[in-house]
Structure formats: C-alpha cells, structure tokens
Amino acid sequence: MFLVTGANGQLGTALQTMLQDKAEYVDRADLDLTDEAAVKTFLQNKDYEYIINCAAYTAVDKAEADEDNARKVNAFAPLYLAKYGKKIVHISTDYVFDGNNCKPYNEEDETHPLSVYGKTKREGELNVLANADTAIIIRTAWLYSPHGGNFVKTMRKLGAERESLNVVFDQVGTPTNAYDLAKAIVKALPQIKSGEKEIYHFTDEGVCSWYDFAREIMEQSKLNCKVHPIESKDYPTPAHRPHFSVLNKAKIKTRFKIEIPHWKEGLVKCLQQF
C-alpha cells in the first residue's frame, strides 16, 4: 500500500486513476502536513511501501509575500514525511535552477533558485535527502492536466473570450502532462532499491516557450485567438522565473526504462479528456 499526499491536485488525481486501491489518498482536509505531531501520529504503526508526496505550495507569485506558509508546505512538510515515513518519492521543480544554462540541466548541476517558491522547494529536497531512509526526488516542470488550475485551462478560457493574448517567449522549458508523470512514477515504484537516495528529472520531451505552448493550445483547441510574443520585462511578476529550465531526462529513462512522449502528444491526450 502506498500513501499519496496532495491527492486532489493535478498529479495526485492522475495517480488515483492509476494506483486506485493500491494506495491511500490524503489531502489538506485529511491531514495537515505542516503539523509535525499530526504527521507523526498519522504515520505511527503504518508501513507504507512508499509515500508519494505531491503536496506543494505552487502559487509562485503569491509565495513572494507568503514565505512562511510556502516554507511550511514546501520544506517542512516533506521533512516530516521523510522523518516519520522513511520511504518517500518527493516531487520537486525546475525552479530550483536560475535558468542561466545554455543546455538542459542535469541532476548534478548546481541549484540557484530565483524565487521563494524555488528556494523552499530546494529546502524540501535537502530535508528529504537528510531524513528519509529511501528517497527518490523527481523534478518536473510546467505541469498541467484537466484538473485544477494550470496554463492550459487558463489559455483555453482566455482564448475563448478574447481576440488576442500576449504571452512571454523568452522563458523556455517543457510542458508536462500530469498523467505522463504519474505513469512514470508508477513504472519506477517497483524498481526503487531500499536505501536509494537519488534525484531524477522528468518532463515530457521537447522544448518550447510559453508563447509556443499557448499557440499550440489555441491550434489544438481550434480557437481563433491570436497569440503575440512578448518579453518577460513587458509582463513583470512578483517572482523571478528562470529563462531556460529545460531538464535532461537521460538518467530517469535509463534507470527505470521509461519512454517519454513529446509534449505535443501530451497536450493532445489532455485536451481529449476535457
């Protein structure tokens, strides 16, 4: 039996469809992961094969003014899960990097987060590695699904309401269908070795800007909204985002024998679910 935290989010929902009765699912209403005593009590006398921690504070801009709460969810909650659960698969982010690379980031590349979100997620990674007996950290990026709030749903909504949109073209990464990530996690679970402590990268394949992604969403959704490319400086946000956060996925593909679809295929699958 597995435990999935953040079970009602994008990734948690995808995992529910795949793991079904092989896991127990908890969300905020069921368990406050930022309460160490509550986590300790909940995990006492339970022997989950792995905790899959999908819970995160993901409001990147809001986190700049809400650092304490972001740290509680992104850094302390993973610490408690690792400390009392001991075996964990923890989801992290491309935002632990500063985006100054000119080639896809490897797991060993130095982290240098630009935002509170990125900093607290990096703290969570370190806490998991320091406190768990077995720890798999999977960094992902630009996650979307038919559930919850995300870029795809926002673009479809705005694309249906407006004749044109401005979208940044100088932030480059890879969109990732949450179901593709969930599938990779399920494939990896039986292959994890006791005592293993590793960081892996997973996104869908390919590279694009938010502008390219928005155009593809409009095209596949058959919306006539014109998308205009703009620079990040023309769309200022409270949090600084990496200009280049493409992740190298060679390690996870080799280690767990995973085949990864292109991001455009992932988008097709997602839109079919709407």
Side-chain angles (χ1 to χ4, degrees):
M1 181 69 72
F2 303 103
L3 175 68
V4 177
T5 59
N8 293 331
Q10 297 185 103
L11 181 58
T13 302
L15 283 166
Q16 286 192 50
T17 66
M18 294 183 190
L19 290 172
Q20 297 183 352
D21 60 359
K22 294 176 185 168
E24 188 176 338
Y25 304 94
V26 296
D27 214 282
R28 236 173 310 184
D30 310 303
L31 175 64
D32 181 0
L33 299 177
T34 67
D35 181 338
E36 182 173 7
V39 174
K40 181 180 180 181
T41 301
F42 182 87
L43 291 174
Q44 267 177 345
N45 306 317
K46 292 187 178 173
D47 188 26
Y48 292 113
E49 195 172 341
Y50 286 102
I51 295 169
I52 307 169
N53 182 34
C54 308
Y57 187 113
T58 57
V60 177
D61 289 319
K62 186 182 173 188
E64 293 298 308
D66 193 24
E67 187 165 350
D68 284 350
N69 283 321
R71 180 162 284 109
K72 284 176 183 176
V73 178
N74 291 341
F76 294 145
L79 187 158
Y80 306 147
L81 290 169
K83 183 176 176 182
Y84 299 109
K86 293 303 181 185
K87 297 174 288 187
I88 186 168
V89 175
H90 175 65
I91 308 304
S92 192
T93 175
D94 58 324
Y95 280 32
V96 299
F97 297 114
D98 60 16
N100 290 333
N101 249 23
C102 58
K103 61 183 178 60
Y105 281 95
N106 291 317
E107 290 81 356
E108 296 76 25
D109 283 333
E110 187 176 345
T111 58
H112 187 240
L114 303 175
S115 61
V116 166
Y117 169 67
K119 287 171 187 170
T120 56
K121 288 296 287 181
R122 177 57 179 159
E123 289 168 21
E125 292 183 357
L126 296 172
N127 286 342
V128 165
L129 292 170
N131 288 276
D133 292 339
T134 303
I136 298 296
I137 292 168
I138 302 177
R139 293 176 181 146
T140 191
W142 298 23
L143 209 63
Y144 66 90
S145 86
H147 316 286
N150 56 64
F151 187 78
V152 173
K153 292 177 84 170
T154 300
M155 287 299 105
R156 279 170 58 86
K157 179 178 182 294
L158 295 177
E161 296 170 352
R162 302 184 188 179
E163 291 183 1
S164 67
L165 282 173
N166 296 333
V167 180
V168 295
F169 76 92
D170 57 357
Q171 292 173 27
V172 176
T174 310
T176 306
N177 185 321
Y179 283 82
D180 291 334
L181 175 55
K183 187 177 176 182
I185 291 169
V186 172
K187 177 97 185 274
L189 284 170
Q191 302 181 63
I192 299 170
K193 294 173 183 169
S194 181
E196 183 175 358
K197 289 190 179 185
E198 291 287 347
I199 296 175
Y200 294 96
H201 288 169
F202 182 95
T203 63
D204 281 338
E205 295 283 20
V207 176
C208 70
S209 69
W210 288 110
Y211 161 75
D212 298 314
F213 190 23
R215 281 198 53 157
E216 188 67 20
I217 293 164
M218 299 306 171
E219 189 171 323
Q220 288 196 23
S221 302
K222 296 187 168 47
L223 292 168
N224 292 320
C225 180
K226 177 81 173 171
V227 182
H228 300 289
I230 60 168
E231 294 181 57
S232 296
K233 67 179 177 62
D234 297 321
Y235 186 74
T237 55
H240 291 291
R241 289 159 167 79
H243 282 283
F244 180 91
S245 62
V246 180
L247 301 177
N248 186 319
K249 300 167 286 287
K251 182 177 174 181
I252 198 167
K253 287 192 284 189
T254 302
R255 170 70 179 82
F256 297 115
K257 298 176 179 59
I258 289 169
E259 288 187 18
I260 304 176
H262 191 272
W263 68 264
K264 288 186 181 181
E265 296 169 42
L267 181 59
V268 169
K269 286 184 291 185
C270 178
L271 294 180
Q272 286 170 348
Q273 289 181 273
F274 277 99

